Amino acid sequence: MEFFGAAERAEINDVLETGILFRYNHEAQRNNIYKAREFEAEVAKLVGANFAHAVSSGSTAVLCALAAAGIGAGDEVIVPPFTYIATVEAVLMVGALPVFADIDETLCISADGIRKAITPKTKAIALVHMCGQMADMDAIMAVVNEHNLVLVEDAGQAMGASYKGVSTGLWGKTGAYSFDFFKIATAGEGGIMVTNDEVAYKHADSYSDHGHDHIGSNRGMEQHPVLGFNYRISELHAAVGLVQTRRVPEIIKSNNAHKTQLMDALGQVPGVGFARIPDVDGDSATFLNLLMPDTETAQRVVAEMNAAGVGGFNYWFTNMYHFINQWDHIKQMRTAAPLAIEKFGAPQDYNNLDIPNAQATIGRLISFGIRASWTSEEVAALATNIEAAIRKATLVEA
């Protein structure tokens, strides 16, 4: 959380003064304080969604997005091998069967990767917009429409990003954003499911609260149109998320200025490339994504940056929870209790996947988190330190 101050405290105090931390009912006591509703309205306004529903985390937002889109037991869902693992977990938890597809230099699933992964049993794509950027949506939507697939978007790392004016999360049937502590805006813990489909919204609204329809003022007498579970957000978390969402446009503006400064400086260094951004104007710019010539070079650069004390970056190729190479518990299906996939059977051999572009691209990728609070001088110093580490690791003279 980069920015936290009086505005967040004021919204939290509104809730504390009423004593109603639960997001529903208690109309007489809450003095018309409904922070979850305000949070949802603020996100809907920011991204241009008809409907937004707040839940307890980005992970449960993905789960609700899948369920609200009708994805469930036995459905094959195409997923990326490069994502925060929650995306794949959510597919498994709704009873569906993950099918891994290859990515490209956008860091997202590619249209070609999707085509190669489609089988007669494919029902949906769980598309993830990675590292603050966005997927190549024109190419992907062509495949979605050609094969009549359901598209669910995990934009947990890319809230505020867009492609040709349409926000990430709104290209498909449903979408999801994360508001955990490390995202562009945070609720501490929280997530938002978005959609332009009213039926999907109503399903998510009920599904995330034990099936309640939220009609009337007596919770004990509400109807239950669907089965559900508890993925509710509290009023306290929503109060923080509300203010944080209002900060997003200025954060994106600062992020992009810093990212441009870094790319201008490092683009002159031999051997340095960048992940492809399908729509530069829609970048949320939360990450600077460097692509080195090959995996071996990237690993030497990482070692040199560690030795030189250059921090703030991720080398996803060896990261334990963002890349499939380290997901032994999924490959070996180590579960606390049997999942649907163990009854249906996995649609792929997860130990022997054909994803050469993912292996090559993530092996070359080094991502730096960008902070909106940096000064221009701090950005310049970071660029100098990164360049020095790269040149030393690759033995290139300045």
Side-chain angles (χ1 to χ4, degrees), residues 37-102:
R37 292 182 187 177
E38 289 187 71
F39 180 29
E40 291 160 347
E42 197 68 33
V43 172
K45 181 176 72 173
L46 175 71
V47 303
N50 289 343
F51 305 97
H53 181 62
V55 289
S56 56
S57 69
S59 303
T60 56
V62 177
L63 193 69
C64 289
L66 289 164
I71 307 305
D75 292 333
E76 287 192 6
V77 179
I78 292 174
V79 299
F82 177 49
T83 176
Y84 183 59
I85 199 168
T87 315
V88 182
E89 291 170 336
V91 170
L92 289 167
M93 294 305 160
V94 296
L97 314 177
V99 176
F100 290 95
D102 213 351

Side-chain angles (χ1 to χ4, degrees), residues 129-134 157-162 259 282-287 289:
H129 301 280
M130 284 299 293
C131 295
Q133 303 184 173
M134 72 300 295
Q157 292 190 2
M159 192 190 74
S162 62
K259 185 169 181 175
D283 190 8
S284 72
T286 51
F287 284 92
N289 298 300

Side-chain angles (χ1 to χ4, degrees), residues 152-186:
V152 175
E153 295 169 80
D154 179 350
Q157 292 190 2
M159 192 190 74
S162 62
Y163 179 84
K164 296 187 176 179
V166 177
S167 292
T168 56
L170 293 179
W171 285 86
K173 181 91 165 178
T174 55
Y177 306 124
S178 173
F179 282 78
D180 76 16
F181 190 70
F182 305 100
K183 298 302 188 291
I184 192 169
T186 182

